[in-house]
Amino acid sequence: MLDQKFSIFEFYESKVRSYCRDFPVKIHRAKGSVIHSVENYSYIDFFSGAGALNYGHNCEPLKKKLMAYLDDDGVTHSLDFYTEAKEDFIKTFQEKILIPRNMRYKVQFTGPTGTNAVEAALKLARKVTKRTNVIAFSNAFHGMSLGSLAATSNPKKRQGAGVSLGGVTFMPYERYLGEHYDSLDFIDQMLKPGGGIEAPAAFLIETIQGEGGLRCVSANWLQRLQALAREHGALLIIDDIQSGCGRSGRFFSFEEMDVAPDIICLSKSLSGYGLPFSMNLINPDFDIWEPGEHNGTFRGNNLAFVTAKAAVEEFWSEPVFEQALHQKIGYLHVRLEALAERTRLLVPEAHFLGRGFMCGISVGSEDIASKISQAAFSAGLIVETCGVHGQVVKLLPALTIELDILAQGLDILETAFDQVLGFYSYCEEKTA
Ligand SMILES: *Cc1c(COP(=O)(O)O)cnc(C)c1O
């Protein structure tokens, strides 16, 4: 599709570009949950930078802190030198997030991408256990660099590696083998002598699968996984890159599940402002890194320290934000469940998926899901699809979205479903 408007990108930017193909719009500015194009169209944003903008675009209180810091010539780049911004962030994160939850962790600032946090977590688990094998799960997504790609199941993504991807054994996620098949029992059996699986350094898991299709683990299953990890001397790593920072309705996705992961990966919305920033929380007993053993030029980002601290203070130091969020989640789920039910009249396998503000509807096929996403886009809503087969319409609204904008976005989504599914039933009638 050659379009004059996008010719600079089409001529000069690599073919690897992806989201811009599904949503061909040139963005001019954005505020909260609304994006404005150069042509002055506006779009409600149910995508939120794949979950990197949990507090919306240009969140005002965070922006104020950032502007003041820049205005004061606060240091932007400092490798991993001690800075005031870093100290303030660490202190606030410990005081407002970790200590109230009774969580004892050290922080490690990795390179700024999520995949680099996962790389660091895998390296550390292998170093701690002196083992190679890592157990990852069906439909997992952990990033695109070689180590984390090896733990990503999607064949199209793996294909890009160009080398063999090793050191990972895939096991079935909860309910992957069917509603009534206990996949944890299966894993337990496979890890016994005779199963043929090398003793694992770690189990790496997403509690809500982001790219892989919005399946979730139950508290009980996750507790049993943790027990299994302990039994085998393996670490439990929770990749909370997409499901963390409030996405699930709580700061961490596994809160109230009564587990204590050994390493927790955070990235996407950690800065709160869409700035690149990643961090691993490490059980202090396992912090056996040698100085510089996982180095990187952009570890810790002072601008992100400033906005991340501001986000914790603004949203997570009082319960009001979480309470308001839970009300919005309730509203969103009621509407999506109703839409899923209506969809089932035409697509019997359609169902609601996900948790918190990370949820959607499986509509059975990539064809239907992408048509819905495109119809919504034409009507001013940005909503993506996910799943290995692209069969899920996935919603990631900003946690700060105003209720009327959320309602408006859902109206557009419903109309898009009706358009696409109505079209399908019409075609079936014609061919019948
Ligand atoms: C996005 C994501 C990653 C990778 O983060 P990047 O910043 O894209 O490298 C890893 N794990 C999960 C669960 C993610 O959603």
Side-chain angles (χ1 to χ4, degrees), residues 50 112-118 140-145 148 152 205-206 208-211 239-243 265 267-268 278 358 394:
T113 57
T115 196
N116 197 258
V118 173
F141 179 85
H142 296 290
M144 300 293 281
S145 54
S148 45
T152 293
I205 191 158
E206 299 159 272
I208 310 169
Q209 295 192 310
E211 302 309 298
D239 178 348
D240 230 7
I241 288 173
Q242 189 165 152
S243 50
C265 307
S267 180
K268 291 203 164 83
S278 299
M358 187 168 172
K394 177 188 182 192

Side-chain angles (χ1 to χ4, degrees), residues 17-38:
R17 62 193 193 279
S18 64
Y19 293 116
C20 54
R21 297 172 186 272
D22 296 330
F23 306 109
V25 53
K26 207 186 298 172
I27 298 171
H28 172 50
R29 48 192 290 278
K31 188 73 180 172
S33 290
V34 181
I35 292 173
H36 302 275
S37 76
V38 290

Side-chain angles (χ1 to χ4, degrees), residues 61 145 199 323 414:
S145 54
Q323 285 159 3
E414 280 174 8

Side-chain angles (χ1 to χ4, degrees), residues 106-122:
K106 282 203 177 185
V107 297
Q108 176 188 0
F109 300 111
T110 65
T113 57
T115 196
N116 197 258
V118 173
E119 295 287 349
L122 294 177

Side-chain angles (χ1 to χ4, degrees), residues 112-359:
T113 57
T115 196
N116 197 258
V118 173
E119 295 287 349
L122 294 177
K123 274 192 202 172
L124 185 61
R126 286 173 172 142
K127 186 177 162 74
V128 166
T129 58
K130 300 187 178 70
R131 297 173 181 172
T132 308
N133 191 29
V134 165
I135 307 249
F137 292 88
S138 50
N139 292 331
F141 179 85
H142 296 290
M144 300 293 281
S145 54
L146 295 181
S148 45
L149 189 56
T152 293
S153 75
N154 187 312
K156 276 200 215 127
K157 305 259 189 297
R158 295 176 69 86
Q159 190 191 308
V163 295
S164 60
L165 296 169
V168 174
T169 305
F170 285 94
M171 282 286 148
Y173 198 79
E174 185 172 8
R175 288 188 293 275
Y176 182 72
L177 298 171
E179 205 54 44
H180 303 292
Y181 193 97
D182 186 353
S183 60
L184 207 105
D185 197 38
F186 173 85
I187 301 168
D188 184 21
Q189 291 300 324
M190 289 302 287
L191 282 170
K192 294 209 161 102
I197 295 174
E198 243 174 78
F203 292 82
L204 170 64
I205 191 158
E206 299 159 272
T207 57
I208 310 169
Q209 295 192 310
E211 302 309 298
L214 295 176
R215 283 173 193 262
C216 311
V217 287
S218 65
N220 179 263
W221 196 90
L222 193 61
Q223 286 162 13
R224 287 170 62 213
L225 184 71
Q226 175 174 280
L228 193 67
R230 303 268 144 94
E231 181 192 327
H232 287 273
L235 272 57
L236 176 65
I237 305 171
I238 291 191
D239 178 348
D240 230 7
I241 288 173
Q242 189 165 152
S243 50
C245 301
R247 234 334 113 194
S248 70
R250 305 266 178 221
F251 188 86
F252 296 105
S253 66
F254 51 87
E255 274 178 54
E256 294 168 350
M257 285 191 167
D258 199 21
V259 290
D262 300 299
I263 304 177
I264 301 155
C265 307
L266 293 173
S267 180
K268 291 203 164 83
S269 270
L270 183 61
S271 80
Y273 204 73
L275 295 170
F277 184 40
S278 299
M279 171 171 87
N280 281 346
L281 302 177
I282 305 173
N283 174 340
D285 298 341
F286 298 137
D287 182 30
I288 59 160
W289 287 115
E290 294 293 329
E293 205 174 8
H294 186 83
N295 242 350
T297 308
F298 293 106
R299 282 167 306 129
N301 169 342
N302 284 282
L303 303 184
F305 285 137
V306 171
T307 53
K309 173 190 178 232
V312 168
E313 281 183 332
E314 179 72 21
F315 300 110
W316 300 100
S317 33
E318 302 286 338
V320 287
F321 174 71
E322 254 180 277
Q323 285 159 3
L325 177 58
H326 289 160
Q327 280 182 351
K328 278 187 268 189
I329 290 170
Y331 172 79
L332 174 62
H333 286 195
V334 166
R335 287 202 56 179
L336 278 186
E337 294 270 18
L339 183 56
E341 193 170 325
R342 202 160 86 203
T343 307
R344 269 197 292 281
L345 297 172
L346 289 159
V347 184
E349 68 268 38
H351 58 283
F352 173 90
L353 281 160
R355 271 173 57 205
F357 254 29
M358 187 168 172
C359 54

